[in-house]
Amino acid sequence: MATAAACASSLLAPPSSAACAGPATSSALFPTSVPSLRAYPRLLLAFRRPAAAAVADPQGAAAVLEDDDVEEVDAPVQFDDVNDDYEDGYGGRGPAFTAPTRPRTGKAALPLKRDRTRSKRYLEIQKLRESKKEYDVPTALSLMKQVANTRFVEAAEAHFRMNLDPKYNDQQLRATVNLPKGTGQTVKIAVLTQGEKIDEARAAGADIVGSDDLIEQIKGGFMEFDKLIASPDMMPKVASLGKILGPRGLMPNPKAGTVSPNITQAIDEFKKGKVEFRVDKTGIAHIPFGKVNFPEEDLIANFMAVVRSIERNKPSGAKGIYWKTAYVCSSMGPSIKLNIKEMLDYGTDSSN
């Protein structure tokens, strides 16, 4: 007990004798007395020295503890102030231990994290374009057609980041654009109307036509259509479908052209290639403008129609630079950055 007490007190003050050697090693590691705040650094060192030695050399640490010469492990530390560096044989902080790591191979060795989850096909085709280069419109669309090599016909998409904050009413962008060369896909249209307009809608090519019966089917989960057009006199009844159609983007809206007294004209426009677009909460507009198997001239015509529509429907609250970035891509291909100035100038030349 006397030996253990002497070893515990050695944590608070330098030892006066070698009484702590040998059996006192375990007492130094697990002191029984509570030291003062000034002695905490010495207490931490007492626990750390054997642990650090075990990490640096696991087999040698056991040999040192069994050896008779243990003064080096439990050597007292002389200090003048709590903030001083302690000479414990390891620079006062113990050895820096780094776990051995295996060299990364394959996708794990790629520098960008997003590329580590890409397919081999994607990693190959993205080498065809320079990620930071800004292309003009014809070159970008030609490159987009080149990188589209999947087994199905991919859609051509445009993505524009606008300087808009949609949470303000005067900065919301929602409009439609008539693609002169069409969308390349079949649109299934449902019409909600009543009276004589039911026959007009069927004659115009509507796929589904109904009134109250169609409203009940939609409430029951029927959603086998791409666009829902309604006549103004049906809107009070359509209001009950807001929670069902709203999240899917199918709620009829006058701004989108899906609420119209001229049902025949509305059906004809959407069949020919009318596309609705809006900016999301981050201020980005995602707009499909055709298929990659379109001729390059048709893709340019559709793309410039989209650009002119966004310019024409500029919100009144938009301030500063309206266009931030513009990209085109195929459904499964990498994005291709466009030069904003050249894109707008190209649109002005074509419109003239």
Side-chain angles (χ1 to χ4, degrees):
M1 293 299 294
T3 305
C7 293
S9 62
S10 66
L11 296 172
L12 302 178
S16 57
S17 64
C20 293
T25 302
S26 59
S27 300
L29 293 177
F30 304 98
T32 56
S33 62
V34 179
S36 63
L37 293 178
R38 185 176 179 83
Y40 271 125
R42 185 186 296 276
L43 177 61
L44 294 176
L45 290 175
F47 280 92
R48 187 173 60 198
R49 281 195 299 271
V55 171
D57 186 8
Q59 297 180 354
V64 169
L65 292 178
E66 293 175 359
D67 195 4
D68 294 333
D69 188 12
V70 295
E71 283 87 355
E72 184 176 353
V73 177
D74 294 328
V77 179
Q78 301 294 335
F79 63 96
D80 298 325
D81 190 77
V82 177
N83 297 324
D84 289 343
D85 264 344
Y86 304 103
E87 296 296 330
D88 59 348
Y90 300 106
R93 296 186 178 275
F97 176 73
T98 304
T101 57
R102 295 180 180 178
R104 294 183 177 182
T105 58
K107 292 184 180 180
L110 296 174
L112 298 178
K113 287 186 177 180
R114 63 174 178 265
D115 289 342
R116 298 172 190 171
T117 58
R118 303 288 192 183
S119 64
K120 292 182 179 180
R121 181 197 68 86
Y122 187 94
L123 295 176
E124 287 297 326
I125 62 177
Q126 76 170 353
K127 297 177 183 178
L128 301 176
R129 64 99 167 99
E130 299 179 25
S131 59
K132 296 184 179 180
K133 181 179 178 180
E134 295 182 349
Y135 295 85
D136 55 41
V137 174
T139 306
L141 296 181
S142 176
L143 185 57
M144 180 190 68
K145 290 171 62 69
Q146 183 180 355
V147 300
N149 59 358
T150 54
R151 297 179 181 179
F152 62 94
V153 180
E154 301 180 41
E157 303 174 359
H159 305 272
F160 305 102
R161 180 182 292 276
M162 316 303 296
N163 188 21
L164 298 173
D165 191 351
K167 70 180 181 181
Y168 300 106
N169 293 330
D170 60 350
Q171 296 190 35
Q172 294 180 357
L173 176 62
R174 182 175 184 178
T176 58
V177 54
N178 292 315
L179 299 179
K181 304 301 180 180
T183 60
Q185 58 185 5
T186 304
V187 181
K188 194 172 184 178
I189 297 178
V191 177
L192 279 171
T193 186
Q194 56 188 357
E196 298 178 354
K197 293 185 178 180
I198 292 180
D199 296 332
E200 294 180 8
R202 288 174 178 167
D207 300 285
I208 303 170
V209 183
S211 181
D212 295 336
D213 56 340
L214 182 56
I215 292 178
E216 293 300 324
Q217 291 180 19
I218 294 175
K219 288 182 179 179
F222 178 77
M223 287 291 169
E224 297 181 6
F225 51 86
D226 301 315
K227 289 290 180 183
L228 179 62
I229 300 175
S231 56
D233 56 349
M234 290 295 294
M235 287 308 294
K237 299 179 180 179
V238 176
S240 61
L241 303 175
K243 292 183 178 180
I244 301 174
L245 299 175
R248 294 175 172 83
L250 296 173
M251 187 68 181
N253 191 301
K255 292 183 179 180
T258 49
V259 177
S260 173
N262 193 340
I263 297 295
T264 303
Q265 180 182 356
I267 294 173
D268 186 59
E269 289 177 349
F270 280 104
K271 285 287 186 178
K272 287 184 176 179
K274 190 174 185 178
V275 176
E276 177 188 359
F277 64 89
R278 63 189 300 178
V279 294
D280 58 17
K281 61 181 180 180
T282 61
I284 302 177
H286 312 274
I287 309 172
F289 62 95
K291 297 286 187 177
V292 293
N293 61 351
F294 280 18
E296 194 171 322
E297 295 77 13
D298 293 352
L299 286 175
I300 293 176
N302 284 351
F303 178 79
M304 296 316 304
V306 171
V307 173
R308 288 193 294 270
S309 178
I310 294 177
E311 277 287 325
R312 185 169 54 250
N313 293 281
K314 182 178 180 179
S316 58
K319 300 177 182 179
I321 300 175
Y322 184 44
W323 299 83
K324 284 189 173 181
T325 57
Y327 291 86
V328 293
C329 67
S330 59
S331 300
M332 305 295 291
S335 59
I336 302 169
K337 191 174 184 179
L338 295 170
N339 186 293
I340 298 293
K341 186 177 184 304
E342 292 182 359
M343 180 188 72
L344 298 178
D345 291 343
Y346 189 93
T348 303
D349 296 341
S350 62
S351 61
N352 293 334

PDB file of all heavy atoms in Angstrom, residues 126-141 143 325-328 334-340 342:
ATOM      1  N   GLN A 126     -17.973  10.725 -72.007  1.00  0.00           N
ATOM      2  CA  GLN A 126     -17.716  12.069 -71.499  1.00  0.00           C
ATOM      3  C   GLN A 126     -16.312  12.564 -71.859  1.00  0.00           C
ATOM      4  O   GLN A 126     -16.029  13.754 -71.730  1.00  0.00           O
ATOM      5  CB  GLN A 126     -17.936  12.127 -69.992  1.00  0.00           C
ATOM      6  CG  GLN A 126     -16.858  11.521 -69.143  1.00  0.00           C
ATOM      7  CD  GLN A 126     -17.043  11.827 -67.667  1.00  0.00           C
ATOM      8  OE1 GLN A 126     -17.910  12.606 -67.293  1.00  0.00           O
ATOM      9  NE2 GLN A 126     -16.239  11.211 -66.829  1.00  0.00           N
ATOM     10  N   LYS A 127     -15.464  11.662 -72.333  1.00  0.00           N
ATOM     11  CA  LYS A 127     -14.150  12.080 -72.804  1.00  0.00           C
ATOM     12  C   LYS A 127     -14.227  12.816 -74.144  1.00  0.00           C
ATOM     13  O   LYS A 127     -13.269  13.467 -74.545  1.00  0.00           O
ATOM     14  CB  LYS A 127     -13.226  10.861 -72.946  1.00  0.00           C
ATOM     15  CG  LYS A 127     -12.942  10.139 -71.634  1.00  0.00           C
ATOM     16  CD  LYS A 127     -12.086   8.909 -71.880  1.00  0.00           C
ATOM     17  CE  LYS A 127     -11.843   8.129 -70.585  1.00  0.00           C
ATOM     18  NZ  LYS A 127     -11.045   6.894 -70.828  1.00  0.00           N
ATOM     19  N   LEU A 128     -15.380  12.712 -74.806  1.00  0.00           N
ATOM     20  CA  LEU A 128     -15.541  13.360 -76.107  1.00  0.00           C
ATOM     21  C   LEU A 128     -15.765  14.857 -75.994  1.00  0.00           C
ATOM     22  O   LEU A 128     -15.673  15.572 -76.990  1.00  0.00           O
ATOM     23  CB  LEU A 128     -16.710  12.720 -76.875  1.00  0.00           C
ATOM     24  CG  LEU A 128     -16.591  11.214 -77.147  1.00  0.00           C
ATOM     25  CD1 LEU A 128     -17.849  10.701 -77.819  1.00  0.00           C
ATOM     26  CD2 LEU A 128     -15.366  10.935 -78.017  1.00  0.00           C
ATOM     27  N   ARG A 129     -16.107  15.335 -74.801  1.00  0.00           N
ATOM     28  CA  ARG A 129     -16.326  16.766 -74.613  1.00  0.00           C
ATOM     29  C   ARG A 129     -15.478  17.290 -73.479  1.00  0.00           C
ATOM     30  O   ARG A 129     -15.127  16.566 -72.549  1.00  0.00           O
ATOM     31  CB  ARG A 129     -17.800  17.067 -74.368  1.00  0.00           C
ATOM     32  CG  ARG A 129     -18.386  16.469 -73.075  1.00  0.00           C
ATOM     33  CD  ARG A 129     -18.428  17.502 -71.973  1.00  0.00           C
ATOM     34  NE  ARG A 129     -19.238  17.057 -70.846  1.00  0.00           N
ATOM     35  CZ  ARG A 129     -18.752  16.531 -69.746  1.00  0.00           C
ATOM     36  NH1 ARG A 129     -17.453  16.337 -69.638  1.00  0.00           N
ATOM     37  NH2 ARG A 129     -19.538  16.183 -68.733  1.00  0.00           N
ATOM     38  N   GLU A 130     -15.135  18.566 -73.556  1.00  0.00           N
ATOM     39  CA  GLU A 130     -14.370  19.229 -72.509  1.00  0.00           C
ATOM     40  C   GLU A 130     -15.354  19.839 -71.514  1.00  0.00           C
ATOM     41  O   GLU A 130     -16.222  20.628 -71.894  1.00  0.00           O
ATOM     42  CB  GLU A 130     -13.470  20.310 -73.106  1.00  0.00           C
ATOM     43  CG  GLU A 130     -12.440  19.775 -74.091  1.00  0.00           C
ATOM     44  CD  GLU A 130     -11.583  20.886 -74.671  1.00  0.00           C
ATOM     45  OE1 GLU A 130     -11.457  21.932 -74.006  1.00  0.00           O
ATOM     46  OE2 GLU A 130     -11.064  20.709 -75.790  1.00  0.00           O
ATOM     47  N   SER A 131     -15.196  19.459 -70.251  1.00  0.00           N
ATOM     48  CA  SER A 131     -16.203  19.817 -69.249  1.00  0.00           C
ATOM     49  C   SER A 131     -16.313  21.320 -69.022  1.00  0.00           C
ATOM     50  O   SER A 131     -17.397  21.833 -68.758  1.00  0.00           O
ATOM     51  CB  SER A 131     -15.895  19.106 -67.927  1.00  0.00           C
ATOM     52  OG  SER A 131     -14.603  19.468 -67.460  1.00  0.00           O
ATOM     53  N   LYS A 132     -15.204  22.056 -69.118  1.00  0.00           N
ATOM     54  CA  LYS A 132     -15.227  23.483 -68.810  1.00  0.00           C
ATOM     55  C   LYS A 132     -15.292  24.371 -70.054  1.00  0.00           C
ATOM     56  O   LYS A 132     -15.308  25.600 -69.935  1.00  0.00           O
ATOM     57  CB  LYS A 132     -13.986  23.845 -67.991  1.00  0.00           C
ATOM     58  CG  LYS A 132     -13.942  23.174 -66.626  1.00  0.00           C
ATOM     59  CD  LYS A 132     -12.747  23.637 -65.815  1.00  0.00           C
ATOM     60  CE  LYS A 132     -12.722  22.972 -64.442  1.00  0.00           C
ATOM     61  NZ  LYS A 132     -11.560  23.416 -63.633  1.00  0.00           N
ATOM     62  N   LYS A 133     -15.340  23.758 -71.217  1.00  0.00           N
ATOM     63  CA  LYS A 133     -15.383  24.544 -72.452  1.00  0.00           C
ATOM     64  C   LYS A 133     -16.818  24.953 -72.756  1.00  0.00           C
ATOM     65  O   LYS A 133     -17.761  24.186 -72.532  1.00  0.00           O
ATOM     66  CB  LYS A 133     -14.809  23.734 -73.609  1.00  0.00           C
ATOM     67  CG  LYS A 133     -14.789  24.478 -74.930  1.00  0.00           C
ATOM     68  CD  LYS A 133     -14.195  23.626 -76.040  1.00  0.00           C
ATOM     69  CE  LYS A 133     -14.222  24.361 -77.376  1.00  0.00           C
ATOM     70  NZ  LYS A 133     -13.634  23.543 -78.467  1.00  0.00           N
ATOM     71  N   GLU A 134     -16.991  26.167 -73.291  1.00  0.00           N
ATOM     72  CA  GLU A 134     -18.305  26.670 -73.685  1.00  0.00           C
ATOM     73  C   GLU A 134     -18.431  26.564 -75.204  1.00  0.00           C
ATOM     74  O   GLU A 134     -17.626  27.133 -75.942  1.00  0.00           O
ATOM     75  CB  GLU A 134     -18.489  28.117 -73.220  1.00  0.00           C
ATOM     76  CG  GLU A 134     -18.499  28.266 -71.704  1.00  0.00           C
ATOM     77  CD  GLU A 134     -18.739  29.699 -71.262  1.00  0.00           C
ATOM     78  OE1 GLU A 134     -18.694  30.597 -72.137  1.00  0.00           O
ATOM     79  OE2 GLU A 134     -18.972  29.924 -70.064  1.00  0.00           O
ATOM     80  N   TYR A 135     -19.448  25.843 -75.662  1.00  0.00           N
ATOM     81  CA  TYR A 135     -19.634  25.571 -77.075  1.00  0.00           C
ATOM     82  C   TYR A 135     -20.703  26.494 -77.665  1.00  0.00           C
ATOM     83  O   TYR A 135     -21.576  27.000 -76.939  1.00  0.00           O
ATOM     84  CB  TYR A 135     -20.055  24.115 -77.300  1.00  0.00           C
ATOM     85  CG  TYR A 135     -19.009  23.099 -76.907  1.00  0.00           C
ATOM     86  CD1 TYR A 135     -18.903  22.645 -75.595  1.00  0.00           C
ATOM     87  CD2 TYR A 135     -18.140  22.569 -77.854  1.00  0.00           C
ATOM     88  CE1 TYR A 135     -17.954  21.695 -75.246  1.00  0.00           C
ATOM     89  CE2 TYR A 135     -17.197  21.621 -77.510  1.00  0.00           C
ATOM     90  CZ  TYR A 135     -17.107  21.185 -76.203  1.00  0.00           C
ATOM     91  OH  TYR A 135     -16.161  20.253 -75.853  1.00  0.00           O
ATOM     92  N   ASP A 136     -20.656  26.677 -78.989  1.00  0.00           N
ATOM     93  CA  ASP A 136     -21.752  27.375 -79.659  1.00  0.00           C
ATOM     94  C   ASP A 136     -22.882  26.383 -79.919  1.00  0.00           C
ATOM     95  O   ASP A 136     -22.732  25.169 -79.730  1.00  0.00           O
ATOM     96  CB  ASP A 136     -21.268  28.018 -80.957  1.00  0.00           C
ATOM     97  CG  ASP A 136     -20.600  27.014 -81.893  1.00  0.00           C
ATOM     98  OD1 ASP A 136     -21.115  25.886 -82.010  1.00  0.00           O
ATOM     99  OD2 ASP A 136     -19.557  27.350 -82.481  1.00  0.00           O
ATOM    100  N   VAL A 137     -24.027  26.880 -80.354  1.00  0.00           N
ATOM    101  CA  VAL A 137     -25.223  26.037 -80.457  1.00  0.00           C
ATOM    102  C   VAL A 137     -25.046  24.893 -81.460  1.00  0.00           C
ATOM    103  O   VAL A 137     -25.297  23.725 -81.117  1.00  0.00           O
ATOM    104  CB  VAL A 137     -26.449  26.900 -80.807  1.00  0.00           C
ATOM    105  CG1 VAL A 137     -27.671  26.013 -81.064  1.00  0.00           C
ATOM    106  CG2 VAL A 137     -26.750  27.872 -79.674  1.00  0.00           C
ATOM    107  N   PRO A 138     -24.620  25.123 -82.715  1.00  0.00           N
ATOM    108  CA  PRO A 138     -24.498  23.997 -83.649  1.00  0.00           C
ATOM    109  C   PRO A 138     -23.499  22.934 -83.193  1.00  0.00           C
ATOM    110  O   PRO A 138     -23.756  21.729 -83.303  1.00  0.00           O
ATOM    111  CB  PRO A 138     -24.030  24.671 -84.950  1.00  0.00           C
ATOM    112  CG  PRO A 138     -24.459  26.089 -84.830  1.00  0.00           C
ATOM    113  CD  PRO A 138     -24.329  26.412 -83.378  1.00  0.00           C
ATOM    114  N   THR A 139     -22.355  23.377 -82.650  1.00  0.00           N
ATOM    115  CA  THR A 139     -21.348  22.413 -82.195  1.00  0.00           C
ATOM    116  C   THR A 139     -21.856  21.597 -81.015  1.00  0.00           C
ATOM    117  O   THR A 139     -21.634  20.385 -80.928  1.00  0.00           O
ATOM    118  CB  THR A 139     -20.052  23.141 -81.809  1.00  0.00           C
ATOM    119  OG1 THR A 139     -19.610  23.959 -82.894  1.00  0.00           O
ATOM    120  CG2 THR A 139     -18.964  22.156 -81.443  1.00  0.00           C
ATOM    121  N   ALA A 140     -22.544  22.246 -80.085  1.00  0.00           N
ATOM    122  CA  ALA A 140     -23.057  21.551 -78.907  1.00  0.00           C
ATOM    123  C   ALA A 140     -24.097  20.504 -79.290  1.00  0.00           C
ATOM    124  O   ALA A 140     -24.081  19.376 -78.776  1.00  0.00           O
ATOM    125  CB  ALA A 140     -23.634  22.557 -77.929  1.00  0.00           C
ATOM    126  N   LEU A 141     -25.011  20.849 -80.191  1.00  0.00           N
ATOM    127  CA  LEU A 141     -26.051  19.898 -80.585  1.00  0.00           C
ATOM    128  C   LEU A 141     -25.463  18.747 -81.410  1.00  0.00           C
ATOM    129  O   LEU A 141     -25.911  17.597 -81.292  1.00  0.00           O
ATOM    130  CB  LEU A 141     -27.137  20.614 -81.372  1.00  0.00           C
ATOM    131  CG  LEU A 141     -27.917  21.686 -80.579  1.00  0.00           C
ATOM    132  CD1 LEU A 141     -28.994  22.317 -81.442  1.00  0.00           C
ATOM    133  CD2 LEU A 141     -28.527  21.094 -79.317  1.00  0.00           C
ATOM    134  N   LEU A 143     -22.437  17.551 -80.987  1.00  0.00           N
ATOM    135  CA  LEU A 143     -21.751  16.717 -80.003  1.00  0.00           C
ATOM    136  C   LEU A 143     -22.747  15.916 -79.175  1.00  0.00           C
ATOM    137  O   LEU A 143     -22.485  14.769 -78.805  1.00  0.00           O
ATOM    138  CB  LEU A 143     -20.880  17.598 -79.107  1.00  0.00           C
ATOM    139  CG  LEU A 143     -19.986  16.906 -78.083  1.00  0.00           C
ATOM    140  CD1 LEU A 143     -19.039  15.923 -78.766  1.00  0.00           C
ATOM    141  CD2 LEU A 143     -19.193  17.943 -77.298  1.00  0.00           C
ATOM    142  N   THR A 325     -26.415  30.142 -66.635  1.00  0.00           N
ATOM    143  CA  THR A 325     -25.743  29.070 -67.381  1.00  0.00           C
ATOM    144  C   THR A 325     -26.760  28.371 -68.265  1.00  0.00           C
ATOM    145  O   THR A 325     -27.972  28.401 -68.001  1.00  0.00           O
ATOM    146  CB  THR A 325     -25.093  28.033 -66.444  1.00  0.00           C
ATOM    147  OG1 THR A 325     -26.106  27.490 -65.573  1.00  0.00           O
ATOM    148  CG2 THR A 325     -23.984  28.647 -65.624  1.00  0.00           C
ATOM    149  N   ALA A 326     -26.266  27.730 -69.314  1.00  0.00           N
ATOM    150  CA  ALA A 326     -27.116  26.973 -70.241  1.00  0.00           C
ATOM    151  C   ALA A 326     -26.389  25.694 -70.634  1.00  0.00           C
ATOM    152  O   ALA A 326     -25.194  25.728 -70.961  1.00  0.00           O
ATOM    153  CB  ALA A 326     -27.443  27.807 -71.473  1.00  0.00           C
ATOM    154  N   TYR A 327     -27.105  24.578 -70.595  1.00  0.00           N
ATOM    155  CA  TYR A 327     -26.543  23.276 -70.946  1.00  0.00           C
ATOM    156  C   TYR A 327     -27.542  22.519 -71.825  1.00  0.00           C
ATOM    157  O   TYR A 327     -28.763  22.708 -71.693  1.00  0.00           O
ATOM    158  CB  TYR A 327     -26.262  22.424 -69.697  1.00  0.00           C
ATOM    159  CG  TYR A 327     -25.145  22.928 -68.828  1.00  0.00           C
ATOM    160  CD1 TYR A 327     -25.378  23.881 -67.842  1.00  0.00           C
ATOM    161  CD2 TYR A 327     -23.850  22.438 -68.957  1.00  0.00           C
ATOM    162  CE1 TYR A 327     -24.349  24.351 -67.027  1.00  0.00           C
ATOM    163  CE2 TYR A 327     -22.821  22.889 -68.144  1.00  0.00           C
ATOM    164  CZ  TYR A 327     -23.079  23.837 -67.186  1.00  0.00           C
ATOM    165  OH  TYR A 327     -22.049  24.294 -66.375  1.00  0.00           O
ATOM    166  N   VAL A 328     -27.022  21.674 -72.681  1.00  0.00           N
ATOM    167  CA  VAL A 328     -27.842  20.716 -73.423  1.00  0.00           C
ATOM    168  C   VAL A 328     -27.261  19.333 -73.176  1.00  0.00           C
ATOM    169  O   VAL A 328     -26.066  19.176 -72.902  1.00  0.00           O
ATOM    170  CB  VAL A 328     -27.867  21.027 -74.940  1.00  0.00           C
ATOM    171  CG1 VAL A 328     -28.589  22.329 -75.210  1.00  0.00           C
ATOM    172  CG2 VAL A 328     -26.470  21.038 -75.530  1.00  0.00           C
ATOM    173  N   PRO A 334     -23.709  13.072 -70.969  1.00  0.00           N
ATOM    174  CA  PRO A 334     -23.147  14.172 -70.173  1.00  0.00           C
ATOM    175  C   PRO A 334     -23.640  15.527 -70.693  1.00  0.00           C
ATOM    176  O   PRO A 334     -24.027  15.669 -71.851  1.00  0.00           O
ATOM    177  CB  PRO A 334     -21.634  14.009 -70.383  1.00  0.00           C
ATOM    178  CG  PRO A 334     -21.515  13.352 -71.718  1.00  0.00           C
ATOM    179  CD  PRO A 334     -22.700  12.448 -71.847  1.00  0.00           C
ATOM    180  N   SER A 335     -23.613  16.512 -69.821  1.00  0.00           N
ATOM    181  CA  SER A 335     -24.066  17.850 -70.187  1.00  0.00           C
ATOM    182  C   SER A 335     -22.978  18.578 -70.967  1.00  0.00           C
ATOM    183  O   SER A 335     -21.788  18.366 -70.765  1.00  0.00           O
ATOM    184  CB  SER A 335     -24.428  18.645 -68.931  1.00  0.00           C
ATOM    185  OG  SER A 335     -23.315  18.752 -68.063  1.00  0.00           O
ATOM    186  N   ILE A 336     -23.422  19.457 -71.851  1.00  0.00           N
ATOM    187  CA  ILE A 336     -22.529  20.235 -72.697  1.00  0.00           C
ATOM    188  C   ILE A 336     -22.857  21.705 -72.468  1.00  0.00           C
ATOM    189  O   ILE A 336     -23.990  22.140 -72.684  1.00  0.00           O
ATOM    190  CB  ILE A 336     -22.706  19.856 -74.181  1.00  0.00           C
ATOM    191  CG1 ILE A 336     -22.449  18.350 -74.370  1.00  0.00           C
ATOM    192  CG2 ILE A 336     -21.791  20.681 -75.064  1.00  0.00           C
ATOM    193  CD1 ILE A 336     -22.859  17.825 -75.724  1.00  0.00           C
ATOM    194  N   LYS A 337     -21.866  22.454 -72.028  1.00  0.00           N
ATOM    195  CA  LYS A 337     -22.090  23.853 -71.664  1.00  0.00           C
ATOM    196  C   LYS A 337     -22.101  24.739 -72.904  1.00  0.00           C
ATOM    197  O   LYS A 337     -21.309  24.555 -73.829  1.00  0.00           O
ATOM    198  CB  LYS A 337     -21.005  24.322 -70.683  1.00  0.00           C
ATOM    199  CG  LYS A 337     -21.284  25.675 -70.048  1.00  0.00           C
ATOM    200  CD  LYS A 337     -20.251  25.999 -68.988  1.00  0.00           C
ATOM    201  CE  LYS A 337     -20.586  27.302 -68.273  1.00  0.00           C
ATOM    202  NZ  LYS A 337     -19.594  27.613 -67.215  1.00  0.00           N
ATOM    203  N   LEU A 338     -23.012  25.717 -72.887  1.00  0.00           N
ATOM    204  CA  LEU A 338     -23.163  26.642 -74.004  1.00  0.00           C
ATOM    205  C   LEU A 338     -22.618  28.010 -73.644  1.00  0.00           C
ATOM    206  O   LEU A 338     -22.654  28.416 -72.468  1.00  0.00           O
ATOM    207  CB  LEU A 338     -24.635  26.770 -74.405  1.00  0.00           C
ATOM    208  CG  LEU A 338     -25.305  25.525 -74.973  1.00  0.00           C
ATOM    209  CD1 LEU A 338     -26.799  25.738 -75.083  1.00  0.00           C
ATOM    210  CD2 LEU A 338     -24.726  25.170 -76.319  1.00  0.00           C
ATOM    211  N   ASN A 339     -22.146  28.720 -74.638  1.00  0.00           N
ATOM    212  CA  ASN A 339     -21.738  30.103 -74.460  1.00  0.00           C
ATOM    213  C   ASN A 339     -22.999  30.976 -74.540  1.00  0.00           C
ATOM    214  O   ASN A 339     -23.674  31.003 -75.585  1.00  0.00           O
ATOM    215  CB  ASN A 339     -20.722  30.496 -75.540  1.00  0.00           C
ATOM    216  CG  ASN A 339     -20.156  31.887 -75.318  1.00  0.00           C
ATOM    217  OD1 ASN A 339     -20.861  32.886 -75.430  1.00  0.00           O
ATOM    218  ND2 ASN A 339     -18.868  31.958 -75.011  1.00  0.00           N
ATOM    219  N   ILE A 340     -23.318  31.665 -73.449  1.00  0.00           N
ATOM    220  CA  ILE A 340     -24.578  32.413 -73.371  1.00  0.00           C
ATOM    221  C   ILE A 340     -24.639  33.498 -74.442  1.00  0.00           C
ATOM    222  O   ILE A 340     -25.656  33.652 -75.141  1.00  0.00           O
ATOM    223  CB  ILE A 340     -24.746  33.027 -71.972  1.00  0.00           C
ATOM    224  CG1 ILE A 340     -24.812  31.926 -70.903  1.00  0.00           C
ATOM    225  CG2 ILE A 340     -26.004  33.880 -71.917  1.00  0.00           C
ATOM    226  CD1 ILE A 340     -26.026  31.054 -70.981  1.00  0.00           C
ATOM    227  N   GLU A 342     -23.049  33.821 -77.359  1.00  0.00           N
ATOM    228  CA  GLU A 342     -23.199  33.270 -78.700  1.00  0.00           C
ATOM    229  C   GLU A 342     -24.587  32.672 -78.900  1.00  0.00           C
ATOM    230  O   GLU A 342     -25.170  32.758 -79.986  1.00  0.00           O
ATOM    231  CB  GLU A 342     -22.124  32.216 -78.953  1.00  0.00           C
ATOM    232  CG  GLU A 342     -20.712  32.783 -79.046  1.00  0.00           C
ATOM    233  CD  GLU A 342     -19.686  31.697 -79.348  1.00  0.00           C
ATOM    234  OE1 GLU A 342     -20.094  30.522 -79.466  1.00  0.00           O
ATOM    235  OE2 GLU A 342     -18.494  32.035 -79.465  1.00  0.00           O
TER     236      GLU A 342
END
